[in-house]
Amino acid sequence: MNKFYITTAIDYVNDTIHIGHAFQKVAADVLARYYRITLGKDNVFFLTGTDEYGQKAEKAAKNAGISPLEFVRKISVTDKEQQDALNISYDRFLETTDKDHAKVAQEIWNRVKKNDDIYLGGYSGLYCDGCEAYYEESDLHKGKCPFHPNLEIKKITENNYFFKWSKYKDFLIDHIKTHSDFIFPKHRANEMLEFAKNIKDIPISRSNFTWGVAIPASPQGGTNESKQIMYVWFDALTNYLTGVGFLEDKKLFKKFWPADIHILGKDNLRWHALLWPAMLKSAGIELPKTILVNGFLNINGQKISKSLGNVIRPTEWVKKYGADAVRYYLLRYTNITEDSDISEEKLLQAYNADLANGLGNLVARVAKLCETNNANINRANETQTNELLEDVKNQLSQFRFNEALDLIWGGIKGLDQYINRERPWKKGLSEANKILSDVVIGTESLIALRDIAEALKPFLPETSEKIENQFKGPRILSQKPLFPRI
């Protein structure tokens, strides 16, 4: 691998993102930061953003008494604030109202149409406003959307443009079967294989509202096209092309496309695993390599929702515990591909046990010993392979964020045990300094504090930098606790 392009789902602007959405962004950020270490920052591109068109946004703006653009911009600004609070290191925060995005969506439409995969037809079917998606009766649970059970399913009858999705059924099934790494985890791939068997052509335009990307006029003209806008999914999916300069920066696009990882929630999978690849195939564009499907977060056993009053914004926890503590907890005590239960009580326990008493105590202890012994870390420029980082790489290649952190905390525990065994405070100055130098820099058989700091960079970027700065030597002094006990 000589480049790495990762994207997240772009969040819909009906409300500011909560901690469940942030979970996905933090995981993506870890991968982006890791590959910047191994490939160089210029060879990594990280895209996130907001999905700003659609009927929900138009209705919300009307209820607020403002224009749709003003409404979506307000939400987009707050979404950025939430991501920035967690130090999400995106290279571009794309808003689908960006001018270059509309051009890309229209270009893909034209390419698909030129391939004879768009036609005009009538549609009557079931529609969920929450998903902005069409469903079959068999997709529903007791007549309700499985992801929005509190919303009524609507029956919509319209004349729309259709995409020949069914034309690509066999191609999609074959691609999933022959590309074992296309959908992760495997059981999600099996779900898509079952769904693909029943793929039907899908309407990709709407005529009962106006907030969306306009359908490009055909050379032959015609009145119907001017009255319709793109179905929000057909427009939104093309953001992954826009983000790396599909039309605006050919050099950037050539360098980074195809996407190495699309990370998204399980509720968005069928659109990314089946509709998006079919669109790309029709448009003559290479498919992404891997779709990583994250599970949902629940709060104290309950789904995160406004109606339950349990929505938590990332900034709420960051203000109390710091960005790195929140990042750590979300990754160490969840499984990215499965639903996980979180709570502030568990976050506080992890903060005190793992960060304050674990990592924080180790750093403070080593710094104090170095200061007391006036330790001279005389191998400051020595370089050696960081085996811990290599072990972390193996876990991240399988998206085991929690197990990667388990390894790092195993190193923290091992270093603490080494200090207890060697007891440098009982040694003479020369021998004590030798022990402390090994603790800070390491040996072939000892994971060092600097190894731990480097391995922590993708996960806890602020903390890693503080540790590296404190122990770069040659003189090491005690400093404020990394994680004051709460």
Side-chain angles (χ1 to χ4, degrees):
M1 181 187 291
N2 55 11
K3 64 89 183 177
F4 182 72
Y5 176 30
I6 185 168
T7 77
T8 73
I10 51 174
D11 297 294
Y12 198 72
V13 288
N14 57 317
D15 198 4
T16 305
I17 61 170
H18 55 61
I19 200 72
H21 303 111
F23 174 49
Q24 176 192 95
K25 317 309 180 196
V26 173
D29 186 63
V30 169
L31 293 173
R33 288 178 181 273
Y34 172 77
Y35 283 106
R36 288 191 190 110
I37 294 171
T38 58
L39 299 178
K41 65 178 182 178
D42 293 336
N43 295 316
V44 174
F45 200 94
F46 176 13
L47 178 71
T48 188
T50 44
D51 180 5
E52 299 185 344
Y53 285 119
Q55 191 171 25
K56 284 191 296 183
E58 186 176 76
K59 285 182 178 179
K62 185 177 181 180
N63 292 336
I66 57 179
S67 71
L69 183 59
E70 185 180 358
F71 177 82
V72 301
R73 279 289 183 263
K74 285 185 175 182
I75 299 296
S76 181
V77 167
T78 59
D79 277 3
K80 283 183 182 178
E81 290 171 350
Q82 297 301 321
Q83 292 207 38
D84 291 346
L86 286 165
N87 284 327
I88 306 302
S89 60
Y90 51 82
D91 292 288
R92 178 173 177 182
F93 189 100
L94 182 146
E95 297 156 316
T96 55
T97 51
D98 291 344
K99 290 182 180 179
D100 61 337
H101 175 68
K103 292 177 183 178
V104 170
Q106 290 174 334
E107 172 66 17
I108 297 304
W109 179 284
N110 285 334
R111 290 192 182 195
V112 173
K113 188 174 183 180
K114 186 177 181 180
N115 200 41
D116 195 31
D117 285 338
I118 293 178
Y119 63 92
L120 186 63
Y123 178 77
S124 181
L126 304 174
Y127 188 80
C128 170
D129 280 335
C131 296
E132 299 226 24
Y134 302 96
Y135 286 104
E136 299 292 328
E137 188 73 42
S138 59
D139 296 324
L140 305 179
H141 180 66
K142 296 182 179 179
K144 300 284 188 178
C145 169
F147 303 110
H148 300 93
N150 296 325
L151 296 180
E152 290 297 322
I153 292 292
K154 296 179 179 179
K155 187 167 185 179
I156 292 179
T157 300
E158 286 185 334
N159 286 323
N160 300 121
Y161 284 93
F162 281 70
F163 171 58
K164 293 181 181 178
W165 200 6
S166 60
K167 174 180 173 181
Y168 295 93
K169 179 194 302 185
D170 292 341
F171 163 76
L172 293 166
I173 291 172
D174 180 69
H175 187 79
I176 294 170
K177 286 182 175 179
T178 57
H179 294 75
S180 59
D181 55 350
F182 182 57
I183 302 174
F184 188 95
K186 182 65 176 177
H187 71 272
R188 298 295 182 195
N190 294 334
E191 289 175 10
M192 290 302 99
L193 285 172
E194 285 301 310
F195 185 85
K197 294 176 182 177
N198 300 308
I199 283 177
K200 299 177 181 178
D201 291 355
I202 183 174
I204 55 170
S205 69
R206 301 296 305 277
S207 60
N208 61 344
F209 63 96
T210 61
W211 182 239
V213 176
I215 292 174
S218 67
Q220 295 78 24
T223 58
N224 191 72
E225 286 175 307
S226 64
K227 296 178 181 178
Q228 300 226 15
I229 58 171
M230 285 186 201
Y231 174 44
V232 66
W233 274 107
F234 197 94
D235 127 55
L237 286 165
T238 62
N239 91 90
Y240 305 124
L241 300 173
T242 308
V244 284
F246 178 63
L247 294 179
E248 304 288 331
D249 190 341
K250 297 294 186 181
K251 185 176 180 181
L252 184 71
F253 182 75
K254 184 178 180 181
K255 178 174 182 177
F256 284 107
W257 192 261
D260 293 276
I261 295 174
H262 287 323
I263 179 171
L264 50 105
K266 60 184 181 180
D267 53 334
N268 294 330
L269 178 56
R270 69 176 61 175
W271 311 115
H272 288 80
L274 299 174
L275 179 58
W276 179 226
M279 289 168 57
L280 290 169
K281 180 67 173 176
S282 176
I285 300 170
E286 189 175 354
L287 272 59
K289 295 179 181 178
T290 298
I291 298 170
L292 170 60
V293 188
N294 65 268
F296 291 161
L297 294 187
N298 298 316
I299 302 286
N300 293 315
Q302 294 182 309
K303 181 181 177 181
I304 302 174
S305 72
K306 276 186 174 180
S307 60
L308 293 174
N310 65 350
V311 172
I312 296 171
R313 309 293 178 202
T315 49
E316 295 175 37
W317 279 2
V318 170
K319 286 176 183 176
K320 292 182 182 180
Y321 306 101
D324 277 4
V326 178
R327 290 168 64 100
Y328 170 78
Y329 172 64
L330 290 178
L331 295 167
R332 178 86 187 272
Y333 292 98
T334 61
N335 183 330
I336 188 68
T337 59
E338 303 297 332
D339 291 353
S340 301
D341 192 63
I342 64 171
S343 71
E344 187 169 0
E345 181 183 5
K346 294 175 184 175
L347 167 58
L348 179 58
Q349 291 173 354
Y351 177 96
N352 283 324
D354 301 350
L355 298 174
N357 292 348
L359 176 61
N361 183 64
L362 172 66
V363 168
R365 184 185 191 190
V366 174
K368 187 63 178 177
L369 285 168
C370 288
E371 183 179 51
T372 300
N373 285 274
N374 196 24
N376 179 22
I377 306 302
N378 55 17
R379 289 184 287 146
N381 296 321
E382 185 174 314
T383 59
Q384 58 190 35
T385 301
N386 186 341
E387 293 184 4
L388 179 59
L389 189 62
E390 288 297 307
D391 291 339
V392 166
K393 173 186 176 181
N394 293 333
Q395 298 301 327
L396 291 183
S397 68
Q398 294 297 308
F399 312 116
R400 300 187 188 115
F401 300 93
N402 51 349
E403 293 185 32
L405 284 168
D406 286 346
L407 286 173
I408 296 172
W409 255 255
I412 292 168
K413 182 179 180 181
L415 203 52
D416 232 354
Q417 292 173 340
Y418 176 79
I419 295 170
N420 289 339
R421 184 172 67 250
E422 297 299 322
R423 305 170 73 183
W425 56 90
K426 294 286 188 180
K427 309 293 185 181
L429 188 61
S430 177
E431 191 173 357
N433 283 348
K434 168 64 170 60
I435 294 170
L436 293 172
S437 184
D438 288 345
V439 167
V440 174
I441 298 172
T443 66
E444 288 186 4
S445 59
L446 181 67
I447 293 174
L449 199 54
R450 288 184 183 174
D451 294 335
I452 290 170
E454 185 178 29
L456 281 173
K457 280 183 179 180
F459 303 93
L460 280 66
E462 288 183 347
T463 302
S464 171
E465 185 177 5
K466 288 178 182 177
I467 296 171
E468 287 188 333
N469 287 338
Q470 187 172 2
F471 289 92
K472 63 185 178 182
R475 187 88 170 98
I476 296 171
L477 302 174
S478 296
Q479 296 181 13
K480 292 188 298 183
L482 291 175
F483 298 95
R485 187 172 175 83
I486 299 176

mmCIF file with all atom_site columns, all heavy atoms in Angstrom, residues 319-333:
data_model
loop_
_atom_site.group_PDB
_atom_site.id
_atom_site.type_symbol
_atom_site.label_atom_id
_atom_site.label_alt_id
_atom_site.label_comp_id
_atom_site.label_asym_id
_atom_site.label_entity_id
_atom_site.label_seq_id
_atom_site.pdbx_PDB_ins_code
_atom_site.Cartn_x
_atom_site.Cartn_y
_atom_site.Cartn_z
_atom_site.occupancy
_atom_site.B_iso_or_equiv
_atom_site.pdbx_formal_charge
_atom_site.auth_seq_id
_atom_site.auth_comp_id
_atom_site.auth_asym_id
_atom_site.auth_atom_id
_atom_site.pdbx_PDB_model_num
ATOM 1   N N   . LYS A 1 319 ? -15.604 18.050 27.597 1.00 0.00 ? 319 LYS A N   1
ATOM 2   C CA  . LYS A 1 319 ? -15.418 19.126 28.578 1.00 0.00 ? 319 LYS A CA  1
ATOM 3   C C   . LYS A 1 319 ? -15.104 18.571 29.966 1.00 0.00 ? 319 LYS A C   1
ATOM 4   O O   . LYS A 1 319 ? -14.358 19.180 30.739 1.00 0.00 ? 319 LYS A O   1
ATOM 5   C CB  . LYS A 1 319 ? -16.673 20.001 28.647 1.00 0.00 ? 319 LYS A CB  1
ATOM 6   C CG  . LYS A 1 319 ? -16.843 20.915 27.445 1.00 0.00 ? 319 LYS A CG  1
ATOM 7   C CD  . LYS A 1 319 ? -18.160 21.684 27.511 1.00 0.00 ? 319 LYS A CD  1
ATOM 8   C CE  . LYS A 1 319 ? -18.363 22.545 26.274 1.00 0.00 ? 319 LYS A CE  1
ATOM 9   N NZ  . LYS A 1 319 ? -19.687 23.223 26.281 1.00 0.00 ? 319 LYS A NZ  1
ATOM 10  N N   . LYS A 1 320 ? -15.643 17.409 30.279 1.00 0.00 ? 320 LYS A N   1
ATOM 11  C CA  . LYS A 1 320 ? -15.438 16.813 31.605 1.00 0.00 ? 320 LYS A CA  1
ATOM 12  C C   . LYS A 1 320 ? -14.160 15.979 31.684 1.00 0.00 ? 320 LYS A C   1
ATOM 13  O O   . LYS A 1 320 ? -13.454 16.013 32.699 1.00 0.00 ? 320 LYS A O   1
ATOM 14  C CB  . LYS A 1 320 ? -16.625 15.915 31.968 1.00 0.00 ? 320 LYS A CB  1
ATOM 15  C CG  . LYS A 1 320 ? -17.928 16.652 32.208 1.00 0.00 ? 320 LYS A CG  1
ATOM 16  C CD  . LYS A 1 320 ? -19.010 15.646 32.605 1.00 0.00 ? 320 LYS A CD  1
ATOM 17  C CE  . LYS A 1 320 ? -20.350 16.308 32.810 1.00 0.00 ? 320 LYS A CE  1
ATOM 18  N NZ  . LYS A 1 320 ? -21.393 15.319 33.198 1.00 0.00 ? 320 LYS A NZ  1
ATOM 19  N N   . TYR A 1 321 ? -13.871 15.234 30.622 1.00 0.00 ? 321 TYR A N   1
ATOM 20  C CA  . TYR A 1 321 ? -12.818 14.223 30.709 1.00 0.00 ? 321 TYR A CA  1
ATOM 21  C C   . TYR A 1 321 ? -11.666 14.431 29.730 1.00 0.00 ? 321 TYR A C   1
ATOM 22  O O   . TYR A 1 321 ? -10.627 13.779 29.877 1.00 0.00 ? 321 TYR A O   1
ATOM 23  C CB  . TYR A 1 321 ? -13.422 12.828 30.481 1.00 0.00 ? 321 TYR A CB  1
ATOM 24  C CG  . TYR A 1 321 ? -14.582 12.531 31.394 1.00 0.00 ? 321 TYR A CG  1
ATOM 25  C CD1 . TYR A 1 321 ? -15.898 12.639 30.930 1.00 0.00 ? 321 TYR A CD1 1
ATOM 26  C CD2 . TYR A 1 321 ? -14.381 12.173 32.714 1.00 0.00 ? 321 TYR A CD2 1
ATOM 27  C CE1 . TYR A 1 321 ? -16.970 12.374 31.773 1.00 0.00 ? 321 TYR A CE1 1
ATOM 28  C CE2 . TYR A 1 321 ? -15.444 11.904 33.568 1.00 0.00 ? 321 TYR A CE2 1
ATOM 29  C CZ  . TYR A 1 321 ? -16.737 12.011 33.079 1.00 0.00 ? 321 TYR A CZ  1
ATOM 30  O OH  . TYR A 1 321 ? -17.793 11.761 33.918 1.00 0.00 ? 321 TYR A OH  1
ATOM 31  N N   . GLY A 1 322 ? -11.836 15.303 28.753 1.00 0.00 ? 322 GLY A N   1
ATOM 32  C CA  . GLY A 1 322 ? -10.809 15.511 27.743 1.00 0.00 ? 322 GLY A CA  1
ATOM 33  C C   . GLY A 1 322 ? -11.028 14.627 26.524 1.00 0.00 ? 322 GLY A C   1
ATOM 34  O O   . GLY A 1 322 ? -11.608 13.539 26.611 1.00 0.00 ? 322 GLY A O   1
ATOM 35  N N   . ALA A 1 323 ? -10.559 15.088 25.386 1.00 0.00 ? 323 ALA A N   1
ATOM 36  C CA  . ALA A 1 323 ? -10.786 14.376 24.123 1.00 0.00 ? 323 ALA A CA  1
ATOM 37  C C   . ALA A 1 323 ? -10.165 12.983 24.125 1.00 0.00 ? 323 ALA A C   1
ATOM 38  O O   . ALA A 1 323 ? -10.786 12.003 23.699 1.00 0.00 ? 323 ALA A O   1
ATOM 39  C CB  . ALA A 1 323 ? -10.238 15.192 22.954 1.00 0.00 ? 323 ALA A CB  1
ATOM 40  N N   . ASP A 1 324 ? -8.940  12.878 24.624 1.00 0.00 ? 324 ASP A N   1
ATOM 41  C CA  . ASP A 1 324 ? -8.262  11.577 24.573 1.00 0.00 ? 324 ASP A CA  1
ATOM 42  C C   . ASP A 1 324 ? -8.950  10.540 25.444 1.00 0.00 ? 324 ASP A C   1
ATOM 43  O O   . ASP A 1 324 ? -8.996  9.356  25.095 1.00 0.00 ? 324 ASP A O   1
ATOM 44  C CB  . ASP A 1 324 ? -6.797  11.730 24.995 1.00 0.00 ? 324 ASP A CB  1
ATOM 45  C CG  . ASP A 1 324 ? -5.913  12.200 23.845 1.00 0.00 ? 324 ASP A CG  1
ATOM 46  O OD1 . ASP A 1 324 ? -6.461  12.472 22.760 1.00 0.00 ? 324 ASP A OD1 1
ATOM 47  O OD2 . ASP A 1 324 ? -4.688  12.292 24.035 1.00 0.00 ? 324 ASP A OD2 1
ATOM 48  N N   . ALA A 1 325 ? -9.490  10.954 26.566 1.00 0.00 ? 325 ALA A N   1
ATOM 49  C CA  . ALA A 1 325 ? -10.181 10.015 27.446 1.00 0.00 ? 325 ALA A CA  1
ATOM 50  C C   . ALA A 1 325 ? -11.446 9.480  26.774 1.00 0.00 ? 325 ALA A C   1
ATOM 51  O O   . ALA A 1 325 ? -11.752 8.282  26.862 1.00 0.00 ? 325 ALA A O   1
ATOM 52  C CB  . ALA A 1 325 ? -10.530 10.689 28.768 1.00 0.00 ? 325 ALA A CB  1
ATOM 53  N N   . VAL A 1 326 ? -12.166 10.354 26.092 1.00 0.00 ? 326 VAL A N   1
ATOM 54  C CA  . VAL A 1 326 ? -13.377 9.920  25.395 1.00 0.00 ? 326 VAL A CA  1
ATOM 55  C C   . VAL A 1 326 ? -13.019 8.999  24.238 1.00 0.00 ? 326 VAL A C   1
ATOM 56  O O   . VAL A 1 326 ? -13.649 7.951  24.034 1.00 0.00 ? 326 VAL A O   1
ATOM 57  C CB  . VAL A 1 326 ? -14.187 11.137 24.906 1.00 0.00 ? 326 VAL A CB  1
ATOM 58  C CG1 . VAL A 1 326 ? -15.423 10.686 24.140 1.00 0.00 ? 326 VAL A CG1 1
ATOM 59  C CG2 . VAL A 1 326 ? -14.599 12.019 26.088 1.00 0.00 ? 326 VAL A CG2 1
ATOM 60  N N   . ARG A 1 327 ? -12.003 9.378  23.478 1.00 0.00 ? 327 ARG A N   1
ATOM 61  C CA  . ARG A 1 327 ? -11.543 8.531  22.375 1.00 0.00 ? 327 ARG A CA  1
ATOM 62  C C   . ARG A 1 327 ? -11.157 7.148  22.908 1.00 0.00 ? 327 ARG A C   1
ATOM 63  O O   . ARG A 1 327 ? -11.536 6.114  22.341 1.00 0.00 ? 327 ARG A O   1
ATOM 64  C CB  . ARG A 1 327 ? -10.339 9.169  21.672 1.00 0.00 ? 327 ARG A CB  1
ATOM 65  C CG  . ARG A 1 327 ? -10.650 10.420 20.875 1.00 0.00 ? 327 ARG A CG  1
ATOM 66  C CD  . ARG A 1 327 ? -9.367  11.138 20.462 1.00 0.00 ? 327 ARG A CD  1
ATOM 67  N NE  . ARG A 1 327 ? -8.547  10.345 19.564 1.00 0.00 ? 327 ARG A NE  1
ATOM 68  C CZ  . ARG A 1 327 ? -8.502  10.498 18.237 1.00 0.00 ? 327 ARG A CZ  1
ATOM 69  N NH1 . ARG A 1 327 ? -9.220  11.450 17.655 1.00 0.00 ? 327 ARG A NH1 1
ATOM 70  N NH2 . ARG A 1 327 ? -7.720  9.738  17.491 1.00 0.00 ? 327 ARG A NH2 1
ATOM 71  N N   . TYR A 1 328 ? -10.378 7.127  23.986 1.00 0.00 ? 328 TYR A N   1
ATOM 72  C CA  . TYR A 1 328 ? -9.918  5.872  24.567 1.00 0.00 ? 328 TYR A CA  1
ATOM 73  C C   . TYR A 1 328 ? -11.098 4.985  24.966 1.00 0.00 ? 328 TYR A C   1
ATOM 74  O O   . TYR A 1 328 ? -11.155 3.802  24.611 1.00 0.00 ? 328 TYR A O   1
ATOM 75  C CB  . TYR A 1 328 ? -9.042  6.149  25.787 1.00 0.00 ? 328 TYR A CB  1
ATOM 76  C CG  . TYR A 1 328 ? -8.722  4.913  26.593 1.00 0.00 ? 328 TYR A CG  1
ATOM 77  C CD1 . TYR A 1 328 ? -7.745  4.025  26.164 1.00 0.00 ? 328 TYR A CD1 1
ATOM 78  C CD2 . TYR A 1 328 ? -9.418  4.624  27.766 1.00 0.00 ? 328 TYR A CD2 1
ATOM 79  C CE1 . TYR A 1 328 ? -7.458  2.872  26.884 1.00 0.00 ? 328 TYR A CE1 1
ATOM 80  C CE2 . TYR A 1 328 ? -9.145  3.479  28.496 1.00 0.00 ? 328 TYR A CE2 1
ATOM 81  C CZ  . TYR A 1 328 ? -8.162  2.599  28.044 1.00 0.00 ? 328 TYR A CZ  1
ATOM 82  O OH  . TYR A 1 328 ? -7.895  1.463  28.758 1.00 0.00 ? 328 TYR A OH  1
ATOM 83  N N   . TYR A 1 329 ? -12.039 5.558  25.697 1.00 0.00 ? 329 TYR A N   1
ATOM 84  C CA  . TYR A 1 329 ? -13.165 4.765  26.177 1.00 0.00 ? 329 TYR A CA  1
ATOM 85  C C   . TYR A 1 329 ? -14.002 4.205  25.029 1.00 0.00 ? 329 TYR A C   1
ATOM 86  O O   . TYR A 1 329 ? -14.377 3.025  25.044 1.00 0.00 ? 329 TYR A O   1
ATOM 87  C CB  . TYR A 1 329 ? -14.042 5.622  27.095 1.00 0.00 ? 329 TYR A CB  1
ATOM 88  C CG  . TYR A 1 329 ? -15.326 4.939  27.488 1.00 0.00 ? 329 TYR A CG  1
ATOM 89  C CD1 . TYR A 1 329 ? -15.304 3.766  28.247 1.00 0.00 ? 329 TYR A CD1 1
ATOM 90  C CD2 . TYR A 1 329 ? -16.566 5.439  27.080 1.00 0.00 ? 329 TYR A CD2 1
ATOM 91  C CE1 . TYR A 1 329 ? -16.481 3.124  28.597 1.00 0.00 ? 329 TYR A CE1 1
ATOM 92  C CE2 . TYR A 1 329 ? -17.739 4.804  27.422 1.00 0.00 ? 329 TYR A CE2 1
ATOM 93  C CZ  . TYR A 1 329 ? -17.699 3.648  28.177 1.00 0.00 ? 329 TYR A CZ  1
ATOM 94  O OH  . TYR A 1 329 ? -18.861 3.004  28.512 1.00 0.00 ? 329 TYR A OH  1
ATOM 95  N N   . LEU A 1 330 ? -14.274 5.033  24.021 1.00 0.00 ? 330 LEU A N   1
ATOM 96  C CA  . LEU A 1 330 ? -15.097 4.579  22.901 1.00 0.00 ? 330 LEU A CA  1
ATOM 97  C C   . LEU A 1 330 ? -14.442 3.425  22.145 1.00 0.00 ? 330 LEU A C   1
ATOM 98  O O   . LEU A 1 330 ? -15.140 2.569  21.606 1.00 0.00 ? 330 LEU A O   1
ATOM 99  C CB  . LEU A 1 330 ? -15.357 5.738  21.934 1.00 0.00 ? 330 LEU A CB  1
ATOM 100 C CG  . LEU A 1 330 ? -16.273 6.856  22.416 1.00 0.00 ? 330 LEU A CG  1
ATOM 101 C CD1 . LEU A 1 330 ? -16.394 7.940  21.359 1.00 0.00 ? 330 LEU A CD1 1
ATOM 102 C CD2 . LEU A 1 330 ? -17.652 6.322  22.795 1.00 0.00 ? 330 LEU A CD2 1
ATOM 103 N N   . LEU A 1 331 ? -13.126 3.390  22.103 1.00 0.00 ? 331 LEU A N   1
ATOM 104 C CA  . LEU A 1 331 ? -12.431 2.364  21.331 1.00 0.00 ? 331 LEU A CA  1
ATOM 105 C C   . LEU A 1 331 ? -12.053 1.136  22.156 1.00 0.00 ? 331 LEU A C   1
ATOM 106 O O   . LEU A 1 331 ? -12.071 0.015  21.645 1.00 0.00 ? 331 LEU A O   1
ATOM 107 C CB  . LEU A 1 331 ? -11.170 2.962  20.698 1.00 0.00 ? 331 LEU A CB  1
ATOM 108 C CG  . LEU A 1 331 ? -11.431 4.044  19.650 1.00 0.00 ? 331 LEU A CG  1
ATOM 109 C CD1 . LEU A 1 331 ? -10.137 4.775  19.319 1.00 0.00 ? 331 LEU A CD1 1
ATOM 110 C CD2 . LEU A 1 331 ? -12.034 3.437  18.388 1.00 0.00 ? 331 LEU A CD2 1
ATOM 111 N N   . ARG A 1 332 ? -11.722 1.326  23.423 1.00 0.00 ? 332 ARG A N   1
ATOM 112 C CA  . ARG A 1 332 ? -11.256 0.203  24.249 1.00 0.00 ? 332 ARG A CA  1
ATOM 113 C C   . ARG A 1 332 ? -12.410 -0.678 24.713 1.00 0.00 ? 332 ARG A C   1
ATOM 114 O O   . ARG A 1 332 ? -12.256 -1.898 24.836 1.00 0.00 ? 332 ARG A O   1
ATOM 115 C CB  . ARG A 1 332 ? -10.496 0.752  25.469 1.00 0.00 ? 332 ARG A CB  1
ATOM 116 C CG  . ARG A 1 332 ? -9.995  -0.353 26.442 1.00 0.00 ? 332 ARG A CG  1
ATOM 117 C CD  . ARG A 1 332 ? -8.662  -0.876 26.018 1.00 0.00 ? 332 ARG A CD  1
ATOM 118 N NE  . ARG A 1 332 ? -8.207  -2.030 26.784 1.00 0.00 ? 332 ARG A NE  1
ATOM 119 C CZ  . ARG A 1 332 ? -7.506  -1.967 27.926 1.00 0.00 ? 332 ARG A CZ  1
ATOM 120 N NH1 . ARG A 1 332 ? -7.187  -0.794 28.437 1.00 0.00 ? 332 ARG A NH1 1
ATOM 121 N NH2 . ARG A 1 332 ? -7.100  -3.073 28.529 1.00 0.00 ? 332 ARG A NH2 1
ATOM 122 N N   . TYR A 1 333 ? -13.556 -0.085 24.953 1.00 0.00 ? 333 TYR A N   1
ATOM 123 C CA  . TYR A 1 333 ? -14.649 -0.840 25.566 1.00 0.00 ? 333 TYR A CA  1
ATOM 124 C C   . TYR A 1 333 ? -15.834 -1.042 24.627 1.00 0.00 ? 333 TYR A C   1
ATOM 125 O O   . TYR A 1 333 ? -16.983 -1.118 25.055 1.00 0.00 ? 333 TYR A O   1
ATOM 126 C CB  . TYR A 1 333 ? -15.065 -0.163 26.872 1.00 0.00 ? 333 TYR A CB  1
ATOM 127 C CG  . TYR A 1 333 ? -13.972 -0.272 27.908 1.00 0.00 ? 333 TYR A CG  1
ATOM 128 C CD1 . TYR A 1 333 ? -13.086 0.776  28.125 1.00 0.00 ? 333 TYR A CD1 1
ATOM 129 C CD2 . TYR A 1 333 ? -13.775 -1.451 28.613 1.00 0.00 ? 333 TYR A CD2 1
ATOM 130 C CE1 . TYR A 1 333 ? -12.046 0.665  29.047 1.00 0.00 ? 333 TYR A CE1 1
ATOM 131 C CE2 . TYR A 1 333 ? -12.744 -1.577 29.531 1.00 0.00 ? 333 TYR A CE2 1
ATOM 132 C CZ  . TYR A 1 333 ? -11.880 -0.516 29.741 1.00 0.00 ? 333 TYR A CZ  1
ATOM 133 O OH  . TYR A 1 333 ? -10.853 -0.641 30.646 1.00 0.00 ? 333 TYR A OH  1
#
